Amino acid sequence: MDDQRDTRQAIFRGAMLKCPSCGQGKVLSGYLTVKDQCAHCGQDLSHARTDDGPAYFTLLVVVAIVFPMFGLIYSLFTPRPLWVALFMVVLSTALALVLLPRVKGVFIGFQWAKRLHGF
């Protein structure tokens, strides 16, 4: 290895959906499709292999946020269960849709920083 790559910076850039190498180009084309290469610096991104990791971590974060809210809502209010269920379904879905591409970017940034899968 000729040079060290800053893991924290690469992970942060990935979370912002930017290229882990330059921080300028986008890492994803569309919602979850990884670009073949960065349009700004030319970094080859085709090596990124995230598989199911981002989905599992996104689920972990969503559950860690939403589950305690049930107890909080029921301890502060006496809501109707149907409204709570509908609210939680909408909240969980929205949160997962927002977090999933960012978690995938974090995985790509980490892989790039640690030179995994051919980076």
Side-chain angles (χ1 to χ4, degrees):
M1 287 188 231
D2 50 354
D3 62 314
Q4 290 286 72
R5 294 179 176 178
D6 187 359
T7 304
R8 248 188 260 167
Q9 184 180 49
I11 288 173
F12 178 76
R13 287 176 174 174
M16 298 295 113
L17 303 176
K18 299 294 183 185
C19 172
S21 179
C22 68
Q24 299 295 317
K26 293 182 178 182
V27 75
L28 300 178
S29 64
Y31 183 64
L32 289 176
T33 307
V34 181
K35 287 189 166 198
D36 289 333
Q37 68 179 26
C38 175
H40 188 263
C41 70
Q43 171 69 49
D44 184 16
L45 299 170
S46 65
H47 302 293
R49 297 287 176 258
T50 59
D51 300 326
D52 292 334
Y56 291 127
F57 276 89
T58 300
L59 180 64
L60 180 72
V61 170
V62 169
V63 168
I65 292 170
V66 171
F67 186 72
M69 289 180 71
F70 278 107
L72 185 64
I73 288 171
Y74 279 106
S75 67
L76 297 176
F77 311 105
T78 52
R80 299 185 75 169
L82 179 62
W83 290 112
V84 174
L86 289 174
F87 173 73
M88 291 300 179
V89 166
V90 170
L91 177 66
S92 299
T93 302
L95 197 56
L97 289 173
V98 169
L99 288 177
L100 186 57
R102 283 146 189 81
V103 173
K104 187 167 187 167
V106 166
F107 270 67
I108 293 168
F110 181 78
Q111 288 176 0
W112 177 83
K114 296 300 181 183
R115 299 177 190 271
L116 301 173
H117 305 294
F119 273 116

